[in-house]
Amino acid sequence: MEYDIIVLGGGPGGYLAAERAGQAQKKVLCIEEAHLGGTCLNEGCIPTKTLLYSGKLYAHAKHSQAYGVHAKDVTLDHSAVIDRKEQVIRTLVGGVGATLKACHVDVVDAKGVITGRTADGCTVEAGGQTYTAKNLIIATGSSCAVPPIPGLKEGLASGFVLTNREMLALRELPQHLVVLGGGVIGLEMATYYAMADVDTTVVEMQDHIGGPSDRDMVKILQKNCEAEGMHFLLNAKVTEIREGSVIYEQGGKTCTLPADKVLLSIGRKPNTAGIGLENVGVLTERGAIVTDERMQTNVPGIYAVGDANGKAMLAHTAYREAEVAVNNILGKRDRMRYQAIPSVLYTVPELSSVGETEESAKAKGYDVKVVKLPMSYSGRYVAENQGGNGICKLVFDKRTKTLLGAQALANYSSEFIIAAGICMELELTVADMKEIVFPHPTVAEILREAICKY
């Protein structure tokens, strides 16, 4: 059972690594203990967006009179939404499997454990079989972090507390949902449930939502979410979980928040325990596998991509890391760059960003020029967003007159933030960027408007 490459994990980083290696005529084995597609496809990115799209349609229908369209007795069938989500997952997972088969990749449905090294490479045991490969790519992903909050584990066991996995399978809408954590997962799930008319409260330890997102943007986003009925408790520390309630401290006071369900979304941790890293001496830091810019670990022939290395826990980051790892295995020099990786909060409106925020750029010592424009500078945005209050913000390096970062708070900003990322990757100057022609009318024109305001 010898291979050129063994890929441990079948999520975005894993299946794409296997696909690229198979296309290069390498003998490849992909080992996945759960489902091809990993968290992203089965219980993360894709199912969440499926729910959100249904929620948006429902919200559009309820408020369509602003656009001259009148709809009566509009309802949301949450169970039907879940049915559609399952169908979407089946279609895409089947597509991943078919692609790997077409690339002649062998797939084993079992937990893989690294057992050691030989003169021929690494040995991995899965499903009672031992496999050997010259190169190993670890792509085991991440899982929900469970902090030591009294009552939390008991809540998870009883079903009162849910992770994103269980939340995405919930058939009945709760009356009162409490979301622990105001980061990406928490905000996206809260957005859907609030649109589905569930009383939704987000509890966040920090004084703002959105994690490292631009402070100007998240303040406006929070106001938008509150206008849609979502509640926020900031600077609030959860101290205990009891059946039917969440106990938290805020401003020196202890408070009780009633809940029918609680969503745990405080963070993610790399899935690196129990896969045999210690058997080959792979170095980790705080549970994440240490890699260089070629995605190689401290052990020759062993690479780590995606959430397992903890660098940027995003599916599209894993895709590129997988390509870098495979290219280096094939002898093609390639390196990973992280300065222009876009990220998106799929809330309503979406908050999309790439590169530095104003705060992070200043903290790194850049002399910055910031351009902020309301999204109303885009004609199409005004036509399609009655009363919208979105904003676009660009952060420039005054010395080089290049773009350091961009943020856009607007529906479907996820579809055009890449334009700013490309400008950053190519290190275009303001003069260069001003020569780029944008189609009209598009929401993306806001980038050109902002560039021209430099």
mmCIF file of all heavy atoms in Angstrom, residues 62-105:
data_model
loop_
_atom_site.group_PDB
_atom_site.id
_atom_site.type_symbol
_atom_site.label_atom_id
_atom_site.label_comp_id
_atom_site.label_asym_id
_atom_site.label_seq_id
_atom_site.Cartn_x
_atom_site.Cartn_y
_atom_site.Cartn_z
ATOM 1 N N LYS A 62 -40.726 40.294 2.903
ATOM 2 C CA LYS A 62 -41.443 41.058 3.947
ATOM 3 C C LYS A 62 -41.329 42.563 3.747
ATOM 4 O O LYS A 62 -42.226 43.314 4.124
ATOM 5 C CB LYS A 62 -40.896 40.677 5.327
ATOM 6 C CG LYS A 62 -41.275 39.288 5.796
ATOM 7 C CD LYS A 62 -41.002 39.119 7.283
ATOM 8 C CE LYS A 62 -39.524 39.292 7.613
ATOM 9 N NZ LYS A 62 -39.288 39.108 9.083
ATOM 10 N N HIS A 63 -40.206 42.999 3.162
ATOM 11 C CA HIS A 63 -39.964 44.434 3.007
ATOM 12 C C HIS A 63 -40.012 44.892 1.548
ATOM 13 O O HIS A 63 -39.518 45.962 1.217
ATOM 14 C CB HIS A 63 -38.605 44.798 3.608
ATOM 15 C CG HIS A 63 -38.451 44.396 5.048
ATOM 16 N ND1 HIS A 63 -39.253 44.902 6.042
ATOM 17 C CD2 HIS A 63 -37.606 43.521 5.646
ATOM 18 C CE1 HIS A 63 -38.896 44.368 7.216
ATOM 19 N NE2 HIS A 63 -37.902 43.529 6.998
ATOM 20 N N SER A 64 -40.621 44.093 0.708
ATOM 21 C CA SER A 64 -40.580 44.380 -0.730
ATOM 22 C C SER A 64 -41.409 45.589 -1.134
ATOM 23 O O SER A 64 -41.253 46.113 -2.241
ATOM 24 C CB SER A 64 -41.058 43.155 -1.520
ATOM 25 O OG SER A 64 -42.396 42.839 -1.183
ATOM 26 N N GLN A 65 -42.300 46.059 -0.240
ATOM 27 C CA GLN A 65 -43.128 47.199 -0.609
ATOM 28 C C GLN A 65 -42.296 48.445 -0.867
ATOM 29 O O GLN A 65 -42.720 49.351 -1.604
ATOM 30 C CB GLN A 65 -44.164 47.488 0.490
ATOM 31 C CG GLN A 65 -43.591 47.954 1.818
ATOM 32 C CD GLN A 65 -43.191 46.810 2.728
ATOM 33 O OE1 GLN A 65 -43.192 45.649 2.302
ATOM 34 N NE2 GLN A 65 -42.873 47.129 3.978
ATOM 35 N N ALA A 66 -41.099 48.509 -0.286
ATOM 36 C CA ALA A 66 -40.213 49.651 -0.530
ATOM 37 C C ALA A 66 -39.788 49.719 -1.989
ATOM 38 O O ALA A 66 -39.372 50.777 -2.473
ATOM 39 C CB ALA A 66 -38.981 49.565 0.365
ATOM 40 N N TYR A 67 -39.919 48.596 -2.697
ATOM 41 C CA TYR A 67 -39.532 48.531 -4.105
ATOM 42 C C TYR A 67 -40.757 48.418 -5.025
ATOM 43 O O TYR A 67 -40.621 48.069 -6.198
ATOM 44 C CB TYR A 67 -38.596 47.333 -4.326
ATOM 45 C CG TYR A 67 -37.345 47.402 -3.473
ATOM 46 C CD1 TYR A 67 -37.334 46.861 -2.186
ATOM 47 C CD2 TYR A 67 -36.194 48.027 -3.943
ATOM 48 C CE1 TYR A 67 -36.203 46.950 -1.385
ATOM 49 C CE2 TYR A 67 -35.052 48.108 -3.151
ATOM 50 C CZ TYR A 67 -35.072 47.578 -1.871
ATOM 51 O OH TYR A 67 -33.943 47.664 -1.077
ATOM 52 N N GLY A 68 -41.908 48.680 -4.455
ATOM 53 C CA GLY A 68 -43.129 48.635 -5.254
ATOM 54 C C GLY A 68 -43.701 47.257 -5.440
ATOM 55 O O GLY A 68 -44.578 47.047 -6.278
ATOM 56 N N VAL A 69 -43.226 46.293 -4.668
ATOM 57 C CA VAL A 69 -43.724 44.919 -4.766
ATOM 58 C C VAL A 69 -44.434 44.578 -3.457
ATOM 59 O O VAL A 69 -43.864 44.727 -2.374
ATOM 60 C CB VAL A 69 -42.563 43.927 -4.998
ATOM 61 C CG1 VAL A 69 -43.094 42.495 -5.051
ATOM 62 C CG2 VAL A 69 -41.817 44.269 -6.273
ATOM 63 N N HIS A 70 -45.677 44.112 -3.550
ATOM 64 C CA HIS A 70 -46.472 43.823 -2.357
ATOM 65 C C HIS A 70 -46.722 42.321 -2.266
ATOM 66 O O HIS A 70 -47.284 41.710 -3.169
ATOM 67 C CB HIS A 70 -47.803 44.578 -2.394
ATOM 68 C CG HIS A 70 -47.619 46.063 -2.404
ATOM 69 N ND1 HIS A 70 -47.510 46.813 -1.258
ATOM 70 C CD2 HIS A 70 -47.491 46.945 -3.441
ATOM 71 C CE1 HIS A 70 -47.327 48.086 -1.570
ATOM 72 N NE2 HIS A 70 -47.319 48.198 -2.897
ATOM 73 N N ALA A 71 -46.254 41.738 -1.154
ATOM 74 C CA ALA A 71 -46.439 40.309 -0.905
ATOM 75 C C ALA A 71 -47.217 40.134 0.384
ATOM 76 O O ALA A 71 -46.993 40.848 1.363
ATOM 77 C CB ALA A 71 -45.082 39.622 -0.813
ATOM 78 N N LYS A 72 -48.136 39.178 0.396
ATOM 79 C CA LYS A 72 -48.973 38.953 1.568
ATOM 80 C C LYS A 72 -48.740 37.550 2.128
ATOM 81 O O LYS A 72 -48.440 36.608 1.392
ATOM 82 C CB LYS A 72 -50.453 39.126 1.220
ATOM 83 C CG LYS A 72 -50.834 40.536 0.818
ATOM 84 C CD LYS A 72 -52.328 40.631 0.527
ATOM 85 C CE LYS A 72 -52.734 42.055 0.159
ATOM 86 N NZ LYS A 72 -54.181 42.162 -0.133
ATOM 87 N N ASP A 73 -48.894 37.445 3.435
ATOM 88 C CA ASP A 73 -48.834 36.152 4.138
ATOM 89 C C ASP A 73 -47.552 35.384 3.818
ATOM 90 O O ASP A 73 -47.577 34.177 3.556
ATOM 91 C CB ASP A 73 -50.056 35.291 3.765
ATOM 92 C CG ASP A 73 -51.367 35.990 4.085
ATOM 93 O OD1 ASP A 73 -51.422 36.657 5.132
ATOM 94 O OD2 ASP A 73 -52.304 35.868 3.278
ATOM 95 N N VAL A 74 -46.438 36.078 3.835
ATOM 96 C CA VAL A 74 -45.147 35.435 3.575
ATOM 97 C C VAL A 74 -44.701 34.681 4.830
ATOM 98 O O VAL A 74 -44.739 35.219 5.939
ATOM 99 C CB VAL A 74 -44.077 36.474 3.194
ATOM 100 C CG1 VAL A 74 -42.733 35.799 2.965
ATOM 101 C CG2 VAL A 74 -44.515 37.228 1.962
ATOM 102 N N THR A 75 -44.294 33.438 4.667
ATOM 103 C CA THR A 75 -43.826 32.631 5.795
ATOM 104 C C THR A 75 -42.505 31.966 5.444
ATOM 105 O O THR A 75 -42.164 31.804 4.267
ATOM 106 C CB THR A 75 -44.846 31.548 6.181
ATOM 107 O OG1 THR A 75 -45.054 30.681 5.057
ATOM 108 C CG2 THR A 75 -46.165 32.163 6.609
ATOM 109 N N LEU A 76 -41.792 31.576 6.476
ATOM 110 C CA LEU A 76 -40.537 30.842 6.307
ATOM 111 C C LEU A 76 -40.728 29.435 6.852
ATOM 112 O O LEU A 76 -41.061 29.260 8.034
ATOM 113 C CB LEU A 76 -39.400 31.536 7.050
ATOM 114 C CG LEU A 76 -38.052 30.816 7.026
ATOM 115 C CD1 LEU A 76 -37.405 30.959 5.654
ATOM 116 C CD2 LEU A 76 -37.116 31.350 8.105
ATOM 117 N N ASP A 77 -40.531 28.439 6.022
ATOM 118 C CA ASP A 77 -40.610 27.029 6.427
ATOM 119 C C ASP A 77 -39.195 26.564 6.746
ATOM 120 O O ASP A 77 -38.460 26.144 5.855
ATOM 121 C CB ASP A 77 -41.239 26.199 5.306
ATOM 122 C CG ASP A 77 -41.456 24.745 5.705
ATOM 123 O OD1 ASP A 77 -40.848 24.292 6.689
ATOM 124 O OD2 ASP A 77 -42.216 24.053 5.010
ATOM 125 N N HIS A 78 -38.809 26.651 8.007
ATOM 126 C CA HIS A 78 -37.426 26.351 8.386
ATOM 127 C C HIS A 78 -37.048 24.907 8.066
ATOM 128 O O HIS A 78 -35.926 24.635 7.630
ATOM 129 C CB HIS A 78 -37.225 26.629 9.878
ATOM 130 C CG HIS A 78 -35.857 26.287 10.375
ATOM 131 N ND1 HIS A 78 -34.731 26.990 9.986
ATOM 132 C CD2 HIS A 78 -35.420 25.304 11.207
ATOM 133 C CE1 HIS A 78 -33.667 26.456 10.571
ATOM 134 N NE2 HIS A 78 -34.054 25.437 11.309
ATOM 135 N N SER A 79 -37.974 23.980 8.280
ATOM 136 C CA SER A 79 -37.661 22.579 7.983
ATOM 137 C C SER A 79 -37.376 22.387 6.496
ATOM 138 O O SER A 79 -36.479 21.629 6.112
ATOM 139 C CB SER A 79 -38.820 21.676 8.409
ATOM 140 O OG SER A 79 -38.495 20.315 8.202
ATOM 141 N N ALA A 80 -38.111 23.094 5.638
ATOM 142 C CA ALA A 80 -37.859 23.032 4.197
ATOM 143 C C ALA A 80 -36.514 23.660 3.851
ATOM 144 O O ALA A 80 -35.823 23.207 2.932
ATOM 145 C CB ALA A 80 -38.986 23.730 3.431
ATOM 146 N N VAL A 81 -36.141 24.702 4.586
ATOM 147 C CA VAL A 81 -34.826 25.314 4.396
ATOM 148 C C VAL A 81 -33.737 24.293 4.705
ATOM 149 O O VAL A 81 -32.746 24.169 3.968
ATOM 150 C CB VAL A 81 -34.664 26.558 5.294
ATOM 151 C CG1 VAL A 81 -33.227 27.087 5.227
ATOM 152 C CG2 VAL A 81 -35.639 27.645 4.881
ATOM 153 N N ILE A 82 -33.907 23.531 5.786
ATOM 154 C CA ILE A 82 -32.935 22.495 6.155
ATOM 155 C C ILE A 82 -32.891 21.393 5.094
ATOM 156 O O ILE A 82 -31.827 20.886 4.748
ATOM 157 C CB ILE A 82 -33.265 21.899 7.531
ATOM 158 C CG1 ILE A 82 -33.169 22.985 8.613
ATOM 159 C CG2 ILE A 82 -32.321 20.747 7.869
ATOM 160 C CD1 ILE A 82 -31.807 23.614 8.758
ATOM 161 N N ASP A 83 -34.064 21.039 4.564
ATOM 162 C CA ASP A 83 -34.103 20.032 3.493
ATOM 163 C C ASP A 83 -33.281 20.492 2.293
ATOM 164 O O ASP A 83 -32.514 19.703 1.718
ATOM 165 C CB ASP A 83 -35.547 19.786 3.043
ATOM 166 C CG ASP A 83 -36.344 18.976 4.049
ATOM 167 O OD1 ASP A 83 -35.729 18.271 4.864
ATOM 168 O OD2 ASP A 83 -37.594 19.052 4.019
ATOM 169 N N ARG A 84 -33.450 21.746 1.909
ATOM 170 C CA ARG A 84 -32.691 22.262 0.769
ATOM 171 C C ARG A 84 -31.195 22.296 1.081
ATOM 172 O O ARG A 84 -30.375 21.975 0.226
ATOM 173 C CB ARG A 84 -33.176 23.662 0.379
ATOM 174 C CG ARG A 84 -32.419 24.219 -0.816
ATOM 175 C CD ARG A 84 -32.984 25.532 -1.315
ATOM 176 N NE ARG A 84 -32.200 25.969 -2.461
ATOM 177 C CZ ARG A 84 -31.090 26.710 -2.372
ATOM 178 N NH1 ARG A 84 -30.651 27.107 -1.183
ATOM 179 N NH2 ARG A 84 -30.422 27.045 -3.448
ATOM 180 N N LYS A 85 -30.866 22.660 2.309
ATOM 181 C CA LYS A 85 -29.463 22.668 2.718
ATOM 182 C C LYS A 85 -28.841 21.284 2.570
ATOM 183 O O LYS A 85 -27.722 21.139 2.066
ATOM 184 C CB LYS A 85 -29.372 23.149 4.174
ATOM 185 C CG LYS A 85 -27.966 23.241 4.740
ATOM 186 C CD LYS A 85 -27.548 22.028 5.545
ATOM 187 C CE LYS A 85 -28.424 21.783 6.737
ATOM 188 N NZ LYS A 85 -27.947 20.632 7.560
ATOM 189 N N GLU A 86 -29.579 20.254 2.959
ATOM 190 C CA GLU A 86 -29.080 18.878 2.843
ATOM 191 C C GLU A 86 -28.875 18.491 1.379
ATOM 192 O O GLU A 86 -27.911 17.808 1.029
ATOM 193 C CB GLU A 86 -30.056 17.903 3.514
ATOM 194 C CG GLU A 86 -30.181 18.069 5.015
ATOM 195 C CD GLU A 86 -28.898 17.699 5.745
ATOM 196 O OE1 GLU A 86 -28.106 16.921 5.211
ATOM 197 O OE2 GLU A 86 -28.684 18.212 6.867
ATOM 198 N N GLN A 87 -29.791 18.941 0.532
ATOM 199 C CA GLN A 87 -29.671 18.620 -0.892
ATOM 200 C C GLN A 87 -28.452 19.300 -1.502
ATOM 201 O O GLN A 87 -27.722 18.713 -2.307
ATOM 202 C CB GLN A 87 -30.948 19.054 -1.614
ATOM 203 C CG GLN A 87 -31.007 18.670 -3.090
ATOM 204 C CD GLN A 87 -30.452 19.743 -4.001
ATOM 205 O OE1 GLN A 87 -30.600 20.929 -3.728
ATOM 206 N NE2 GLN A 87 -29.811 19.339 -5.087
ATOM 207 N N VAL A 88 -28.210 20.551 -1.109
ATOM 208 C CA VAL A 88 -27.031 21.275 -1.596
ATOM 209 C C VAL A 88 -25.758 20.559 -1.175
ATOM 210 O O VAL A 88 -24.826 20.374 -1.970
ATOM 211 C CB VAL A 88 -27.043 22.728 -1.067
ATOM 212 C CG1 VAL A 88 -25.693 23.401 -1.319
ATOM 213 C CG2 VAL A 88 -28.163 23.517 -1.725
ATOM 214 N N ILE A 89 -25.710 20.120 0.079
ATOM 215 C CA ILE A 89 -24.526 19.421 0.577
ATOM 216 C C ILE A 89 -24.299 18.125 -0.197
ATOM 217 O O ILE A 89 -23.173 17.830 -0.616
ATOM 218 C CB ILE A 89 -24.662 19.124 2.084
ATOM 219 C CG1 ILE A 89 -24.608 20.426 2.884
ATOM 220 C CG2 ILE A 89 -23.565 18.172 2.554
ATOM 221 C CD1 ILE A 89 -24.897 20.244 4.364
ATOM 222 N N ARG A 90 -25.374 17.351 -0.386
ATOM 223 C CA ARG A 90 -25.233 16.086 -1.119
ATOM 224 C C ARG A 90 -24.684 16.324 -2.512
ATOM 225 O O ARG A 90 -23.814 15.583 -2.996
ATOM 226 C CB ARG A 90 -26.580 15.363 -1.196
ATOM 227 C CG ARG A 90 -27.012 14.690 0.091
ATOM 228 C CD ARG A 90 -28.160 13.738 -0.155
ATOM 229 N NE ARG A 90 -29.346 14.423 -0.664
ATOM 230 C CZ ARG A 90 -30.294 14.949 0.096
ATOM 231 N NH1 ARG A 90 -30.204 14.885 1.410
ATOM 232 N NH2 ARG A 90 -31.348 15.539 -0.455
ATOM 233 N N THR A 91 -25.185 17.345 -3.177
ATOM 234 C CA THR A 91 -24.721 17.639 -4.537
ATOM 235 C C THR A 91 -23.237 17.966 -4.563
ATOM 236 O O THR A 91 -22.484 17.436 -5.385
ATOM 237 C CB THR A 91 -25.522 18.823 -5.116
ATOM 238 O OG1 THR A 91 -26.911 18.474 -5.179
ATOM 239 C CG2 THR A 91 -25.034 19.180 -6.515
ATOM 240 N N LEU A 92 -22.809 18.838 -3.654
ATOM 241 C CA LEU A 92 -21.413 19.285 -3.665
ATOM 242 C C LEU A 92 -20.452 18.214 -3.162
ATOM 243 O O LEU A 92 -19.356 18.062 -3.697
ATOM 244 C CB LEU A 92 -21.286 20.568 -2.843
ATOM 245 C CG LEU A 92 -22.040 21.774 -3.407
ATOM 246 C CD1 LEU A 92 -21.915 22.969 -2.484
ATOM 247 C CD2 LEU A 92 -21.521 22.136 -4.795
ATOM 248 N N VAL A 93 -20.866 17.459 -2.143
ATOM 249 C CA VAL A 93 -20.013 16.365 -1.662
ATOM 250 C C VAL A 93 -19.855 15.318 -2.757
ATOM 251 O O VAL A 93 -18.761 14.786 -2.976
ATOM 252 C CB VAL A 93 -20.597 15.739 -0.383
ATOM 253 C CG1 VAL A 93 -19.863 14.443 -0.031
ATOM 254 C CG2 VAL A 93 -20.494 16.718 0.779
ATOM 255 N N GLY A 94 -20.946 15.041 -3.454
ATOM 256 C CA GLY A 94 -20.857 14.097 -4.567
ATOM 257 C C GLY A 94 -19.913 14.593 -5.650
ATOM 258 O O GLY A 94 -19.176 13.816 -6.254
ATOM 259 N N GLY A 95 -19.918 15.903 -5.866
ATOM 260 C CA GLY A 95 -19.013 16.486 -6.852
ATOM 261 C C GLY A 95 -17.560 16.345 -6.460
ATOM 262 O O GLY A 95 -16.702 16.059 -7.309
ATOM 263 N N VAL A 96 -17.265 16.515 -5.169
ATOM 264 C CA VAL A 96 -15.888 16.338 -4.693
ATOM 265 C C VAL A 96 -15.443 14.901 -4.898
ATOM 266 O O VAL A 96 -14.343 14.634 -5.392
ATOM 267 C CB VAL A 96 -15.768 16.728 -3.203
ATOM 268 C CG1 VAL A 96 -14.396 16.340 -2.655
ATOM 269 C CG2 VAL A 96 -15.999 18.222 -3.015
ATOM 270 N N GLY A 97 -16.305 13.966 -4.541
ATOM 271 C CA GLY A 97 -15.965 12.556 -4.712
ATOM 272 C C GLY A 97 -15.726 12.191 -6.169
ATOM 273 O O GLY A 97 -14.780 11.465 -6.502
ATOM 274 N N ALA A 98 -16.580 12.718 -7.056
ATOM 275 C CA ALA A 98 -16.430 12.431 -8.480
ATOM 276 C C ALA A 98 -15.137 13.022 -9.031
ATOM 277 O O ALA A 98 -14.456 12.400 -9.860
ATOM 278 C CB ALA A 98 -17.633 12.991 -9.246
ATOM 279 N N THR A 99 -14.775 14.212 -8.564
ATOM 280 C CA THR A 99 -13.544 14.853 -9.028
ATOM 281 C C THR A 99 -12.320 14.054 -8.593
ATOM 282 O O THR A 99 -11.392 13.834 -9.385
ATOM 283 C CB THR A 99 -13.445 16.287 -8.477
ATOM 284 O OG1 THR A 99 -14.545 17.045 -8.975
ATOM 285 C CG2 THR A 99 -12.144 16.950 -8.907
ATOM 286 N N LEU A 100 -12.306 13.596 -7.337
ATOM 287 C CA LEU A 100 -11.172 12.798 -6.859
ATOM 288 C C LEU A 100 -11.075 11.479 -7.629
ATOM 289 O O LEU A 100 -9.976 11.020 -7.961
ATOM 290 C CB LEU A 100 -11.305 12.532 -5.358
ATOM 291 C CG LEU A 100 -11.178 13.759 -4.441
ATOM 292 C CD1 LEU A 100 -11.319 13.353 -2.977
ATOM 293 C CD2 LEU A 100 -9.847 14.466 -4.662
ATOM 294 N N LYS A 101 -12.220 10.897 -7.912
ATOM 295 C CA LYS A 101 -12.218 9.650 -8.687
ATOM 296 C C LYS A 101 -11.657 9.881 -10.077
ATOM 297 O O LYS A 101 -10.861 9.075 -10.594
ATOM 298 C CB LYS A 101 -13.636 9.081 -8.768
ATOM 299 C CG LYS A 101 -13.712 7.732 -9.480
ATOM 300 C CD LYS A 101 -15.137 7.190 -9.460
ATOM 301 C CE LYS A 101 -15.220 5.834 -10.161
ATOM 302 N NZ LYS A 101 -16.608 5.290 -10.141
ATOM 303 N N ALA A 102 -12.048 11.001 -10.691
ATOM 304 C CA ALA A 102 -11.558 11.325 -12.033
ATOM 305 C C ALA A 102 -10.051 11.570 -12.029
ATOM 306 O O ALA A 102 -9.387 11.358 -13.058
ATOM 307 C CB ALA A 102 -12.293 12.549 -12.573
ATOM 308 N N CYS A 103 -9.510 12.007 -10.885
ATOM 309 C CA CYS A 103 -8.070 12.257 -10.760
ATOM 310 C C CYS A 103 -7.328 11.009 -10.258
ATOM 311 O O CYS A 103 -6.131 11.083 -9.938
ATOM 312 C CB CYS A 103 -7.816 13.425 -9.814
ATOM 313 S SG CYS A 103 -8.412 15.011 -10.427
ATOM 314 N N HIS A 104 -8.058 9.882 -10.183
ATOM 315 C CA HIS A 104 -7.482 8.591 -9.767
ATOM 316 C C HIS A 104 -6.929 8.634 -8.348
ATOM 317 O O HIS A 104 -5.920 7.995 -8.033
ATOM 318 C CB HIS A 104 -6.394 8.149 -10.751
ATOM 319 C CG HIS A 104 -6.855 8.108 -12.177
ATOM 320 N ND1 HIS A 104 -7.746 7.161 -12.652
ATOM 321 C CD2 HIS A 104 -6.589 8.941 -13.234
ATOM 322 C CE1 HIS A 104 -7.991 7.388 -13.937
ATOM 323 N NE2 HIS A 104 -7.316 8.454 -14.314
ATOM 324 N N VAL A 105 -7.611 9.383 -7.483
ATOM 325 C CA VAL A 105 -7.236 9.448 -6.074
ATOM 326 C C VAL A 105 -7.995 8.358 -5.314
ATOM 327 O O VAL A 105 -9.212 8.243 -5.439
ATOM 328 C CB VAL A 105 -7.572 10.823 -5.473
ATOM 329 C CG1 VAL A 105 -7.317 10.835 -3.967
ATOM 330 C CG2 VAL A 105 -6.769 11.912 -6.164
#
